[in-house]
Each structure stands twice: as C-alpha cells, then as structure tokens.
Amino acid sequence: MATPISSSSSFLRFSIGLSAFLCLILCSLAVRDTKTHLLSRTHTVEVNYLLPANTCSPSTKDHDNKAASVLKVVHKHGPCNQVHQSKSNSNPADQDEYLTQILNQDEARVNSIHSHFNYPNKKYRIPDLLAHSDATVIPAQSGSVLGSGNYIVSVGLGSPQKQLSLVFDTGSSLTWTQCRPCSVSCYQQKDPIFDPSLSTSYSNISCNSPACSQLAASGVASGCSASTCVYGEQYGDRSFTIGFFASEKLTLTSTDVFTGFVFGCGQNNQGLFRGIAGLLGLGRSKISLVEQTAQKYKRFFSYCLPSTSSSTGYLSLGHSDNGRSGYNAVKFVPLTTLSQGESYYGLGLVGINIGGSQLPISASVFSTSGTIIDSGTVITRLPATAYTALRDAFREAMKRYPTARSISSLLDTCYDFNGFKTITFPKIGFVFGNGVTVDVDATGILVQQSASQFCLAFAGNKDDRSVGIIGNVQQKRLQVVYDVAGGKVGFAPAGCQ
Ligand SMILES: *[C@@H]1O[C@H](CO)[C@@H](O)[C@H](O)[C@H]1NC(C)=O
C-alpha cells in the first residue's frame, strides 16, 4: 500500500475549525503519473500520487496570452495560498470531516441556484442595516458556500490599493468584499478586510443613480438606506452579505486599472470563512466584472483550475494579441441562456460518454432541465435519469475494486483502493449539441474521502427538471474559454497542472 498518510482517520472528527485549513480532499487528486492515451477508454493513475504535495509547485504551463490580464488562481486551502499558510494544519484525521463540510456547502449552493430558477421573483427582505448590529448575527454553522472547495484570485481595491483574496465565481454577477469586521461568524477577525475610510477613491452609490437600478435588474436584492443604494445577496441556506453598493478603483494588474468599478461593500456578512475577503462576480448580468471591463477585455476570459491545492491555475481576462493561435486546441460549444437564469452561463449538454461510448440517455432529459457551467459548484449535478445511467456504468466498470461506504448523502459510489498500486477507471466526457465531446481530466472524476477511499465525483438532481450544473471538480486542468461576445464557451485539455 503506497498511501503516504495514515489511514487511521476516524478519530479527532470534532475539529471543524482546524479541518478548514486542510486541503487533503477535493484538491487532492495529484495525478503526476497518469497514463492516458488519446484513444484509450480509461485513465490509469498511480495511487502513490493521489495526494497534494506539502509545498506549492506553480503550474509550469504559463499562459502565453500577452495582451490579456492574467491572475494566478489558487485553491483556498493549501500551500499555494500564501495568505493563510501559517494557519494551515495538516492533520489527516480531519479530512473526512472536511469533505462532509464541503459537500454540505455545495448542497446549499446548488439549492440556492435551483431556487433562483424555480422562483426567479422571490426576493428576501433586506433587514434595515442600521437596526442590524453584529450582535444579532446568527453564528455561522460550518462555514459558507463560498469558503471551501473554491478557487481564489488576488486583486487590488481602493487608493492606496488593498490586496484582496476573492473567490472567483461565474455563477454570480455581484463583486463584494467584507467592509466591516464581524464578530462570531468570522472567528478572530478584528479589522474590516476592506476599510473604505482608508481609501480616497471610495464612494457610495446613491439610490437614484443608474447603477442602483442595474443592481436590481441583475437579480440582486436592492434597497435604500439614507439615500445610499443597498444590496443584499444570499448564497445558500445560511450565508448572505448585506451592505452598501459602492464604486472604487479596481487594480487587476499594474497596467489594468478600472476606476468607478461598482461592487458591494459588505456591512453584515454571514457564513464566511477566514481567508476570504469576498467574491469576484464573473456572471452575465450588467454589474458583472465581465460587463464592467467589456471595453478593454471585450467580454472574453478564460481560466484553468489546478488539479490540487499544491499547484496553481490562472484567470485570464481579454483576448490574446497573437491572433487566435493560443486557442487552437480549444473546442467551442454555443453559449445558451436559460429562461429564469439569464445571469448563468448555459451550455447545450445532450449526453454523457463513459469508457468511450455514449450512454443511452434521451437528449430530452438534458434539454428539459438545461445545464449551466459554474466555477463555484464543486460536484457536477446531472438530471436524475442521467446520473443513474452514469453511475450504473461506472460501477460496472469498477467491479474489480472493493466498494466503500460513502460519508455523505451526496456521493453514492465509493471505493477502497487500499492495496492497489495503480487504479484504472473509465474516461468520462460531456457531449454537447454541436457534436463536441469534452473529456473530463483524470483528476476530475474521483474525489478522495479518506486515505484510501475515493468516490465518483458526480451527483444526481432530485429529478429531471432542475437545472444541471457542470461543477469545478470536472473543470480541473481544463482551459475553459468564455467568448461571451462570440456566444460560445470552449474547452482544451491540460491547461494547467
Ligand atoms: C456611505 O453611506 C453610509 C450610509 O448612508 C454612510 O454611513 C457612510 O458614511 C457613507 N460613506 C461615504 C464614504 O460616503
């Protein structure tokens, strides 16, 4: 058995706080020795390499896109996130607790996306900001839908600029940051992460300004407090941010600076984890970063999510200046807009490939629900009928491995690879309406639940009506290109480590 960590992981399950800083699970499928051939139907991976390293090895595949603004993408928990390195704890005993926590948060996020589609006009009331002191904030349960299993970039806000770690999120249009310290919900954080009083370029947006109307038109709850435009955004069952809608100077790189960037300056933020300053909204509505920088970047961006917490990816904004040469290997599929979900990136998924052949699922199963791609959802959600077919085929292909009990209700197909030096599992691909098939990387098929146990990293929706979501595990290592102006999204393999 070649697993580098102890498998005695069932004790010390109580330590949620410490486990938050572990990155042994979703970020952990380090396949440094994958024997995958273009025409083969399976991936064969050495079990030795299934865990992230303790030190950060930045992706060597640097993006060659010279005209674009390129930001480094790191996993929140792990050696590549320098901001909170010192706090990290590598006790493997906490890893199953950590996975449970990530999956619970993922369920909350998906529930909130589904309710957006099912009840598009449902708005919650923004509590009166002045009457809402920190003392009334309900303590966060186990972090937020934003905090874990997610990818962050660093941007500068204000004058002088303050460097902020933001979760980048294609499923949300509003960018916001914590502008007030919080008590219970943010552990020991005593200072506001972004203090507008220290910036000379900050200004509130007034209720009667066009920007305030755009906020409301973007599906974000909005209101007015002493003629200042107020926003409220709810991301999951328990997490929300409420604050002033404001404008600031946003510094992405030394040459790419945007004045008058509108964002939410959060006064009451609940459910946040230490280490996240807020969120960078890359969704499709008017207040999104993509729209606010459209003059410069022409609504074009791409990213690559690293396979593990010990590697890095990138978020690149704008076109390459060397023609389209950088996008040769990219296979594009049309971008669609789902009714009731205009702020999400829709894709015309019509089928699933496993082990080289397409599952017999009627395309109407996918067209009934529709599918979006989201950088903030962890586990891909498929219509119930499609998931069942995929799971059954996967189980059939994995019969030689002993099964394991899943530690979560979300995942139901787990294996114990204890004693296996290498493991072989079927390739899985997404089939789109224009005939393009996008293969998931070898690191995007299984998630680790304990030292030697791994689960199929897909899940089913309750039925075939709720929207399907291509999550971030399945996007690992792919170069994902959003040509929003051109109405298409593209994928290329091995975009980063
Ligand atoms: C923004 O508006 C709030 C509420 O009206 C106010 O308390 C705050 O001082 C304003 N900030 C600035 C910089 O104008």
Side-chain angles (χ1 to χ4, degrees), residues 157-160 162 164 177-180 191-197 199 202 248 263 265 277:
L157 194 69
S159 317
K162 172 95 194 268
L164 302 173
T177 180
Q178 295 185 53
C179 288
R180 284 227 358 229
D191 304 313
I193 285 176
F194 178 72
D195 185 349
S197 71
S199 170
Y202 177 91
E248 249 304 1
F263 76 109
C265 201

Side-chain angles (χ1 to χ4, degrees), residues 86-411:
S86 57
K87 300 280 204 318
S88 72
N89 177 305
S90 56
N91 183 353
D94 296 324
Q95 60 182 297
D96 55 347
E97 192 71 60
Y98 179 52
L99 178 64
T100 311
Q101 186 182 324
I102 286 177
L103 297 179
N104 288 342
Q105 292 161 13
D106 204 39
E107 269 300 80
R109 181 184 178 94
V110 168
N111 287 341
S112 109
I113 291 174
H114 284 162
S115 72
H116 256 273
F117 278 89
N118 297 339
Y119 312 100
N121 299 317
K122 187 180 139 202
K123 284 272 189 316
Y124 66 99
R125 203 177 62 83
I126 297 183
D128 182 358
L129 275 173
L130 304 172
H132 210 84
S133 78
D134 267 347
T136 66
V137 174
I138 316 146
Q141 293 304 295
S142 47
S144 80
V145 289
L146 308 174
S148 301
N150 271 313
Y151 297 91
I152 59 176
V153 292
S154 180
V155 303
L157 194 69
S159 317
Q161 60 165 294
K162 172 95 194 268
Q163 211 61 29
L164 302 173
S165 289
L166 303 180
V167 170
F168 87 91
D169 191 346
T170 62
S172 178
S173 292
L174 178 73
T175 295
W176 62 270
T177 180
Q178 295 185 53
C179 288
R180 284 227 358 229
C182 42
S183 48
V184 278
S185 56
C186 303
Y187 301 79
Q188 300 100 7
Q189 177 210 322
K190 293 205 175 59
D191 304 313
I193 285 176
F194 178 72
D195 185 349
S197 71
L198 302 178
S199 170
T200 55
S201 45
Y202 177 91
S203 58
N204 282 334
I205 286 171
S206 73
C207 296
N208 53 19
S209 76
C212 193
S213 328
Q214 281 183 345
L215 177 69
S218 296
V220 178
S222 61
C224 219
S225 173
S227 78
T228 296
C229 187
V230 172
Y231 77 93
E233 187 83 299
Q234 207 169 17
Y235 289 97
D237 296 341
R238 286 173 171 275
S239 81
F240 63 80
T241 171
I242 297 170
F244 302 124
F245 199 44
S247 89
E248 249 304 1
K249 188 165 95 178
L250 175 71
T251 304
L252 294 178
T253 66
S254 55
T255 55
D256 292 18
V257 179
F258 300 88
T259 54
F261 179 78
V262 300
F263 76 109
C265 201
Q267 307 296 308
N268 186 352
N269 315 296
Q270 185 188 325
L272 300 175
F273 257 168
R274 183 161 52 180
I276 292 300
L279 186 144
L280 189 65
L282 289 162
R284 293 179 79 181
S285 51
K286 279 279 180 281
I287 56 167
S288 155
L289 175 75
V290 179
E291 290 301 317
Q292 293 198 58
T293 58
Q295 268 207 328
K296 183 164 180 70
Y297 300 136
K298 315 289 181 211
R299 298 183 176 88
F300 191 102
F301 67 98
S302 64
Y303 59 73
C304 184
L305 307 177
S307 60
T308 76
S309 63
S310 56
S311 188
T312 59
Y314 61 79
L315 169 63
S316 164
L317 296 146
H319 275 280
S320 156
D321 60 352
N322 48 359
R324 306 191 57 79
S325 60
Y327 303 103
N328 274 348
V330 180
K331 294 195 273 190
F332 282 96
V333 303
L335 180 58
T336 65
T337 304
L338 301 179
S339 66
Q340 321 289 29
E342 293 85 356
S343 64
Y344 295 101
Y345 295 96
L347 298 179
L349 186 68
V350 298
I352 302 286
N353 267 0
I354 178 164
S357 41
Q358 193 170 341
L359 289 167
I361 306 163
S362 159
S364 67
V365 166
F366 296 98
S367 59
T368 304
S369 67
T371 306
I372 62 167
I373 180 167
D374 180 24
S375 68
T377 296
V378 179
I379 302 290
T380 289
R381 303 301 201 281
L382 296 173
T385 304
Y387 174 69
T388 304
L390 172 65
R391 177 195 66 193
D392 291 350
F394 192 82
R395 286 180 178 173
E396 183 63 27
M398 297 293 280
K399 273 198 304 212
R400 67 184 161 288
Y401 298 109
T403 58
R405 195 182 60 84
S406 172
I407 60 168
S408 90
S409 55
L410 185 64
L411 307 177

